[in-house]
Amino acid sequence: MRNRIVDVIKMNPTKDIEASGWIRSFRANKFISINDGSCISSLQIVIEQDNFDKTLIDELNTGASIWVKGSLIESLGGGQKTEISANEIRIIGKADPEELQKTILQPKKHSLEKLREQGHLRMRTNLFGAVFRIRHHMSFAIHKYFNDKGFFYINTPIITGTDAEGAGETFRVTTLPLGDKNIDLKNDFFGKPTHLTVSGQLEAELAALALGKAYTFGPTFRAENSNTTRHLAEFWMVEPEIAFADINDDIDLGEDFLKYLINYALETCKEDLKFLNERAIKEEEQLPKEKRNEHSLLERMKMVSNNEFERITYTKAIEILERSKPNKKKKFKYPVEWGIDLQSEHEKFLVEKHFKKPVVIVDYPASIKAFYMRQNDDGKTVAAMDILFPGIGEIIGGSQREERHEVLQEKCKEFNIPQEAIWWYLETRKFGTVPHAGFGLGFERLMMFVTGMTNIRDVIPFPRTPNNAEF
Ligand code: ATP
Ligand code: MN
């Protein structure tokens, strides 16, 4: 059995060992560095040139894959504890050095844009190896957290026929011929218009109203033509839903969950985070002072996990913004007044300038939020909450759901939602309705926070954005 490098580097010197990986470098006809993706560290292989065929030596090029057998010995060099002194080497897959020069495997600094264009190879770099190992650990931690807390994992449909949610522009799902707009949708595959889901929430609610605590974690699609560094057309969303719970339980859950995930990363992904932390510091040295982060990635993660999130109402947030310096100096692009949807410049001010920590905003105007959010007694606001993070903006959006049948029916009328389209949703309010709440966490927004990557395209293996669906 092949040993993974992550295990080999922890082993004591031993005589017979095998390893394989992709060559990162070959120096002085003596030192081969291989990486197998199991960890950020590469393994040093030392060869005596005279013991190997010249043809083999010639094929030890960066990018090639090899198998090695030898003994694990203490390393004489300073870079690593041990290395393999090779007795036998086999080339598994060659790599033509000339062609390789055109790729990002060429060992030199490449821009993130260039790395994105070569999404088929970028996972072989230290940077993306680190990002995607962390992504795996974060997925696992999400399931672990909910499992430990008695939540049930529910798979909600990816193809849906409900257009009630209003969370964003949808992608149509059809088998009708391209470009034929006059065909009756009754003849389409499902006998009605269908699209890719923008959220699993409505179905997650059905599950919570039967199983008590449920969550979804799946792909989500929004045809937002916004092209920002925080939006994808296809992203992954985590949506817990809890019965017998109100908005405060929902916020408590959100805060506890985020802190758990950040601590999990700090404990489980030490090596990769150390690499990302140092990389970010070096990158920022190139930036003008005012664009640099005040705190390093690791400091930001620890600050979030060690501090209580600030909780304020939307009304209070508006007051703070109205009295703020940038508002008085007319620096905000979007004017501030009660009733507006907070823009990212406003969120940024509250989180990064005013409170300098994560902020939870509750009780938003009913008019800017979805129909299913629970009406507050003031008649103007709903029990909605957003959790805003430094450098990210909105990371979680959630609410207590309207559990009162008549109030929900009224809301449907106000929002022009035909009740027959969501008859099943309304029925749960007729038979044993209970207060319940939930939220959506954008998995890639979380990934941006725990890796320090500033473009959402760099935390999902194969990003889908306007005009981009390669790989
Ligand atoms: P935003 O205002 O940032 O566009 P939203 O209010 O439309 O987000 P929600 O409908 O509340 O988002 O979705 C819940 C969470 O899903 C958000 O808090 C965010 O973390 C994430 N999210 C929403 N849209 C996207 C997207 N296009 N790409 C990646 N993540 C997203
Ligand atoms: Mn939201």
Side-chain angles (χ1 to χ4, degrees), residues 156-190:
T156 49
I158 289 169
I159 302 174
T160 78
T162 354
D163 196 13
E165 233 257 294
E169 291 296 308
T170 58
F171 290 100
R172 287 261 306 281
V173 174
T174 178
T175 52
L176 295 175
L178 277 174
D180 200 338
K181 291 206 179 79
N182 299 320
I183 283 185
D184 188 349
L185 288 174
K186 285 209 176 64
N187 299 324
D188 204 351
F189 191 90
F190 294 104

Side-chain angles (χ1 to χ4, degrees), residues 167 222 224 230-232 235 237 394-397 440-442 445 456:
R222 296 188 185 178
E224 10 206 12
R230 306 180 303 127
H231 290 91
L232 292 163
F235 64 102
M237 185 141 66
E394 181 185 330
I395 193 162
I396 276 182
L441 163 72
R445 301 253 174 110
I456 200 165

Side-chain angles (χ1 to χ4, degrees), residues 165 167-168 198-199 222 224 226 230-237 239 341-342 347 369 372-373 386-387 392-398 439-446 456:
E165 233 257 294
V198 293
S199 158
R222 296 188 185 178
E224 10 206 12
S226 43
R230 306 180 303 127
H231 290 91
L232 292 163
E234 176 181 286
F235 64 102
W236 286 66
M237 185 141 66
E239 294 178 278
D341 206 354
L342 296 180
E347 299 178 346
K369 290 288 182 184
Y372 53 72
M373 298 193 178
D386 278 2
I387 302 185
I392 309 289
E394 181 185 330
I395 193 162
I396 276 182
F439 62 75
L441 163 72
F443 184 48
E444 285 76 19
R445 301 253 174 110
L446 170 79
I456 200 165

Side-chain angles (χ1 to χ4, degrees), residues 12 51 67 70 78 109-110 115 156 193 200 240 293 298 319 354 389 459:
N12 291 321
N51 298 346
W67 169 90
K109 199 170 153 40
H110 304 283
L115 286 155
T156 49
N293 265 305
L298 288 173
E319 276 166 29
H354 191 82
F389 257 36
V459 295

Side-chain angles (χ1 to χ4, degrees), residues 191-322:
K192 65 174 184 175
T194 48
H195 55 264
L196 296 176
T197 183
V198 293
S199 158
Q201 180 204 314
L202 300 189
E203 291 90 351
E205 281 187 52
L206 310 182
L209 292 173
L211 303 172
K213 296 202 261 186
Y215 73 103
T216 72
F217 182 9
T220 308
F221 308 86
R222 296 188 185 178
E224 10 206 12
N225 211 342
S226 43
N227 242 326
T228 73
T229 54
R230 306 180 303 127
H231 290 91
L232 292 163
E234 176 181 286
F235 64 102
W236 286 66
M237 185 141 66
V238 185
E239 294 178 278
E241 198 67 37
I242 41 179
F244 306 99
D246 64 15
I247 186 76
N248 290 316
D249 299 320
D250 200 35
I251 300 172
D252 290 344
L253 176 68
E255 180 167 350
D256 188 61
F257 180 48
L258 288 169
K259 287 178 173 172
Y260 174 89
L261 295 175
I262 290 163
N263 284 327
Y264 189 95
L266 285 168
E267 271 167 38
T268 312
C269 311
K270 285 203 176 85
E271 291 291 306
D272 286 327
L273 282 177
K274 183 165 168 267
F275 171 83
L276 291 171
N277 195 56
E278 282 161 15
R279 174 192 172 271
I281 291 170
K282 263 187 252 144
E283 290 288 305
E284 285 186 16
E285 277 166 8
Q286 324 276 342
L287 296 175
K289 269 234 164 63
E290 66 276 9
K291 291 227 164 135
R292 291 183 208 166
N293 265 305
E294 211 178 314
H295 304 280
S296 72
L297 168 64
L298 288 173
E299 285 166 348
R300 295 197 299 277
M301 289 172 71
K302 285 176 192 154
M303 275 164 59
V304 168
S305 90
N306 293 334
N307 285 299
E308 300 232 316
F309 295 3
E310 187 72 34
R311 300 183 185 195
I312 56 164
T313 62
Y314 168 89
T315 303
K316 181 88 211 277
I318 292 289
E319 276 166 29
I320 294 169
L321 289 167
E322 276 172 339

